[in-house]
Amino acid sequence: MPDIIQLLPDHVANQIAAGEVVQRPASVVKELLENAIDAEATVIKLIIKEAGKMLIQVIDNGKGMSRTDARLSFERHATSKIKKAEDLFNIHTKGFRGEALASIAAIAHVDLKSKQENQELGTYIKIEGSNIIFQENISTPKGTSIAVKHLFYNIPARRNFLKSNTIETRHIINEFQRVVLAHPTISFSLYHNENEIYHLSSSNLRQRIVAVFGKKTNEKLVPIDEVTDIIEINGFVAKPEFAKKKRGEQFFFVNNRFIKNAYLNHAVTSAFESLLSSGYHPSYFLYLTVPPKSIDINIHPTKTEIKFSDEKTLYAILHSTVKHSLGQYNVGPVLDFERSASLDTPYNFKDKKSNSPKITVNSDFNPFKNEESKSLHFHSKQTKNNQWESLYTDTNIHNIEVEAETVNASLFSEETKTNKTYQIHKKYIVSSIKSGIVYINQNLAHQRILYEEFLENITVKEATSQQLLFPLEISFNKNDIELIKEIKEDLENIGFKFDKISGDSIVINGIPTGIIESQITTIIEQLLEDIKNDIPNASFSQLDIMAKSLAKSLAIKTGTVLNLKEQEEIVNKLFICKQPDLSPFGKTTFITINIEEIDKIFNN
């Protein structure tokens, strides 16, 4: 038989490798920004167009590359970061695998311009799908400019799998934020479709966090600082009252590299035990410095997962450090409460006994003695006993005309009586129907009711809005502000009224009827998170996501006690919905049990 195993051509191998390294435009942004940082740049500019599908360009003022290095950088496993296997456990740079540029060049058009400080001319290389079109000397500033155009142009299937521009832009901004938070001393700027999104100058860590997430963030931060022989921990955690239902503002950096680690996240979350309401998550920006030999970064091409040599010890140190800082800055609960000095007992009165105040009553006072009723006169006799029956003895009532109907038991037939409802375990509403009994999940049923109401308000009719007595200002980062601007019209159709939308905050002067003012921040944050994660391409689907998110946030929660009127309202409104049997997320809202099924249980 002929031989069937053969070596793949380089361009095919590069495209396969690109599938691991380049998952979406944000992956390219991450790799190019990290290369600029490794080049010791102090000013880095990121330019994207059409969410990175059309253009991703990174310009830096780093040390640049020679003509030979520029050409060699696009070869697989070509790197200046390591030279031998032992270097994998002593890594001080962002990149080291030597795969990124080769993978990017295999699936895009790449223009590279680079120049070293001691060179008169720089190098310009143009590559399309791993093929070098030309290389020439040009005049260019010190540093490197690399432009990636038409990403996945030669792999249409991968391009079709990309999400909408809104989602891809969010991923790019997320990667940008992770990089800029790890390197506050470097100046960064981000431009999307020629609009400046971020302009961050060199600063300290606290200033960088505030610049990225808004000026109101400063008051939320509690500093963390701990140095041991094993680990050094710096950074900030947010005060418990600023906890959020989303996990977006949770950042771990190990040796200035962003990582994801559920085990360490649990250490921080458990330090907030009893300080957070159920369903809320703490925000934190924690920087861990450990010896390079104690971690293994070479786990995954994205390098966001690493292994620690002694993870249990790190857990204990991190947990106690966060807990100590919360107590040190009086964030944890204490037994003493603030009191006014004016309420303290004067020293001269400490041994004096207080007397009960005397109350005098004028028994002859009668506010009605000079007034006479024109149509109603009561005459009653005083009796020596105070029994209540005496109030109705010898009572004469005059000049009263009463219009009434005779009501008897036969007025309401069994068919027209309102079915009585009951609440069970503060979770289910039970009501009788002709065929048996219906059990309704109050939370899921209310979600369905609110969902259809919001969807109708957005698409068909104008929603009612209640005016706030004092406008409410809420701070958001620039990423969220841009999204709010995109959905502003839809939010106004629901009932929100905006007074102003600035670079890092919004001012609301009207909210939908039925929403409590204290809920607004949580509702909008949850809405933005849902849209970021689930927004499809179609505009109507975006409205559907908004209606679902608002319904989920505002629905009556499990554990809420409902009076009889509230129970009946949910039952009545549920069964006039277009699809009462399912919640907006496809869960069953009610079940019915027929009389026959009940009879079978009792063998009747």
Side-chain angles (χ1 to χ4, degrees), residues 24-29 46-57 148 150-152 159 162-173 190-194 486 537:
R24 59 190 345 138
S27 306
V28 177
V29 169
L46 171 62
I47 302 171
I48 59 175
K49 289 184 179 180
E50 298 297 326
K53 300 172 185 177
M54 185 67 65
L55 171 69
I56 301 172
Q57 185 175 10
V148 178
H150 310 298
L151 192 64
F152 297 124
R159 191 174 181 88
L162 294 178
K163 303 296 183 182
S164 66
N165 284 358
T166 305
I167 284 189
E168 296 301 339
T169 302
R170 305 299 164 217
H171 283 288
I172 289 173
I173 292 177
L190 168 61
Y191 296 84
H192 181 219
N193 292 341
E194 300 181 357
E486 293 178 15
N537 289 319

Side-chain angles (χ1 to χ4, degrees), residues 26-38 44 46 58 94 171-189 200 205 208 212-213 251-253 256-259 287 304:
S27 306
V28 177
V29 169
K30 174 181 180 292
E31 298 294 343
L32 297 185
L33 288 177
E34 289 184 347
N35 282 344
I37 293 168
D38 288 340
I44 301 175
L46 171 62
V58 173
K94 298 292 184 184
H171 283 288
I172 289 173
I173 292 177
N174 288 341
E175 289 293 349
F176 180 81
Q177 289 177 347
R178 293 168 182 174
V179 173
V180 302
L181 289 174
H183 301 275
T185 58
I186 300 176
S187 296
F188 289 92
S189 56
L200 307 171
L205 178 57
R208 177 56 56 89
V212 173
F213 292 101
F251 294 89
F252 269 122
F253 299 93
N256 288 333
R257 183 190 302 276
F258 173 80
I259 67 159
Y287 296 75
T304 56

Side-chain angles (χ1 to χ4, degrees), residues 406-470:
T406 303
V407 180
N408 53 44
S410 62
L411 181 63
F412 299 100
S413 64
E414 290 296 320
E415 290 76 17
T416 59
K417 284 184 179 179
T418 303
N419 292 333
K420 191 171 180 62
T421 60
Y422 302 91
Q423 187 182 28
I424 299 178
H425 296 299
K426 303 177 185 177
K427 184 175 183 180
Y428 300 105
I429 299 173
V430 182
S431 180
S432 62
I433 54 177
K434 287 184 179 180
S435 60
I437 298 175
V438 60
Y439 290 84
I440 301 171
N441 184 302
Q442 65 186 41
N443 174 256
L444 299 179
H446 200 212
Q447 283 186 29
R448 164 54 63 178
I449 295 167
L450 293 177
Y451 166 71
E452 294 198 6
E453 287 179 357
F454 282 127
L455 202 59
E456 183 179 11
N457 289 338
I458 298 172
T459 56
V460 180
K461 64 181 184 180
E462 185 177 352
T464 57
S465 178
Q466 53 184 344
Q467 193 78 12
L468 295 177
L469 184 60
F470 300 103

